[in-house]
């Protein structure tokens, strides 16, 4: 499944962090949608030249984040992905923060091979009480005949704490059993902060037959340890200039990282 979806075993999925979209407080009205597309296009070129296996669009710039997509931002993101996908030669996925139904809708419309989101659980978060809707998202995928589009379940949300006291292992196993997760993701506490390898191992030990990826904070120093345990990784911040989430992709950093991954795999 990993080779079919991502083009590689132990895949490295690179983030395309879109600049703030229309309707969000930091949206650049003067630059408009063209600036968003131009910045993302430059990142895509650098990521593909650096040899990543797949890319994923995310609306990281839309702070403060929404738990339910706004019409204007979802439409803008769909337009941007539609324009940018023409230049993508590797598999791509999508993630609208933090709405699983919107993310699946975007994936269906854009032809994405995979979707990432928080699909399960209840959280005490910076955005308020967070209760995602896996059932509606998966029914939408089924209704639109997109079972080929794999769903990546982040089981410990950034900017949030899970309500209840279930372990990482229990949440991982339950996400597959009750909600049909194709891939399970384990995160650190915030974007760019490293996942605990102990948590990654707990999830993988609980799911020997399901892919488990590290979702945040993967870098050149820890990628070897992460890929020994997990089945892949998502990388965003580490590929940016100076390791700054909000800056452009640094092609040299990408190349050095992927050269190291090639020796590990």
């Amino acid at each position: 499944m990993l080779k079919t979806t991502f083009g590689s075993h132990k895949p490295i999925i690179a983030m395309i962090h879109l600049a703030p979209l229309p309707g969000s407080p930091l949206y650049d009205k003067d630059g408009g949608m063209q600036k968003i597309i131009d910045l993302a296009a430059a990142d895509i070129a650098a990521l593909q030249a650096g040899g990543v296996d797949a890319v994923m669009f995310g609306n990281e710039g839309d702070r403060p984040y929404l738990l339910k997509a706004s019409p204007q931002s979802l439409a803008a993101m769909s337009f941007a992905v539609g324009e940018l996908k023409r230049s993508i030669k590797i598999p791509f996925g999508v993630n609208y923060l933090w709405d699983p139904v919107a993310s699946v809708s975007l994936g269906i419309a854009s032809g994405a091979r995979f979707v990432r989101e928080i699909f399960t659980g209840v959280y005490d978060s910076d955005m308020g009480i967070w209760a995602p809707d896996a059932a509606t998202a998966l029914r939408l995928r089924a209704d639109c005949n997109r079972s080929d589009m794999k769903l990546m379940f982040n089981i410990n949300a950034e900017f949030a704490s899970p309500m209840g006291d279930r372990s990482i292992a229990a949440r991982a196993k339950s996400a597959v059993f009750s909600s049909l997760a194709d891939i399970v993701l384990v995160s650190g506490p915030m974007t760019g902060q490293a996942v605990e390898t102990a948590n990654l191992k707990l999830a993988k030990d609980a799911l020997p037959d399901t892919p488990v990826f590290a979702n945040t904070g993967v870098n050149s120093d820890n990628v070897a340890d992460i890929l020994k345990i997990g089945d892949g990784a998502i990388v965003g911040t580490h590929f940016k200039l100076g390791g700054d989430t909000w800056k452009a992709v640094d092609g040299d950093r990408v190349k050095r990282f992927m050269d190291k991954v090639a020796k590990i795999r």
Side-chain angles (χ1 to χ4, degrees):
M1 183 258 279
L2 294 182
K3 181 75 172 175
T4 301
T5 302
F6 303 107
S8 175
H9 298 293
K10 298 269 184 178
I12 301 298
I13 304 166
M15 290 303 304
I16 304 165
H17 290 152
L18 296 176
L21 297 168
S24 67
L26 299 178
Y27 173 58
D28 181 353
K29 295 179 181 178
D30 293 331
M33 285 300 300
Q34 191 59 53
K35 182 176 180 181
I36 293 169
I37 290 168
D38 289 345
L39 290 171
D43 284 351
I44 290 168
L47 291 168
Q48 291 190 136
V52 301
D53 300 305
V55 292
M56 178 161 55
F57 293 95
N59 61 324
E60 258 79 7
D62 284 348
R63 297 170 289 165
Y65 299 118
L66 296 169
L67 296 179
K68 184 174 176 56
S70 71
Q72 62 268 43
S73 61
L74 184 58
M77 188 167 177
S78 183
F79 174 76
V81 174
E83 290 290 296
L84 290 160
K85 65 180 283 188
R86 302 170 190 173
S87 65
I88 297 176
K89 302 177 179 65
I90 54 180
F92 77 89
V94 296
N95 179 201
Y96 184 103
L97 303 169
W98 293 95
D99 185 337
V101 177
S103 293
V104 169
S105 299
L106 181 61
I108 291 166
S110 65
R113 288 199 201 177
F114 56 95
V115 170
R116 176 185 71 173
E117 232 331 301
I118 303 293
F119 286 92
T120 54
V122 178
Y123 300 85
D124 166 16
S125 81
D126 290 351
M127 293 77 69
I129 299 299
W130 182 357
D133 186 358
T136 297
L138 271 82
R139 281 164 174 77
L140 176 61
R141 180 179 68 164
D143 289 345
C144 293
N145 195 31
R146 281 302 314 274
S147 61
D148 62 301
M149 185 177 71
K150 302 307 179 186
L151 302 184
M152 309 176 81
F153 283 48
N154 186 359
I155 61 165
N156 59 328
E158 301 105 285
F159 316 110
S161 297
M163 299 179 72
D165 58 2
R166 289 189 300 163
S167 67
I168 285 279
R171 280 182 276 146
K173 198 167 185 177
S174 181
V176 174
F177 183 90
S178 71
S179 299
L180 308 179
D182 295 309
I183 297 164
V184 164
L185 307 178
V186 183
S187 301
M190 287 180 61
T191 299
Q193 293 191 12
V195 59
E196 293 284 346
T197 53
N199 285 339
L200 189 66
K201 187 175 188 307
L202 286 169
K204 186 58 195 175
D205 287 348
L207 295 171
D209 300 319
T210 299
V212 176
F213 286 25
N215 189 49
T216 63
V218 180
N219 57 53
S220 292
D221 293 331
N222 64 19
V223 67
D225 291 336
I226 283 170
L227 292 182
K228 284 179 186 176
I229 300 168
D231 301 293
I234 297 172
V235 185
T237 295
H238 183 67
F239 285 159
K240 302 300 187 71
L241 290 165
D244 184 334
T245 303
W246 310 116
K247 291 187 177 178
V249 168
D250 181 339
D252 290 338
R253 287 174 75 100
V254 178
K255 181 69 165 57
R256 288 195 300 270
F257 180 94
M258 292 307 299
D259 285 347
K260 183 168 186 177
V261 168
K263 295 175 182 176
I264 295 167
R265 293 197 287 208

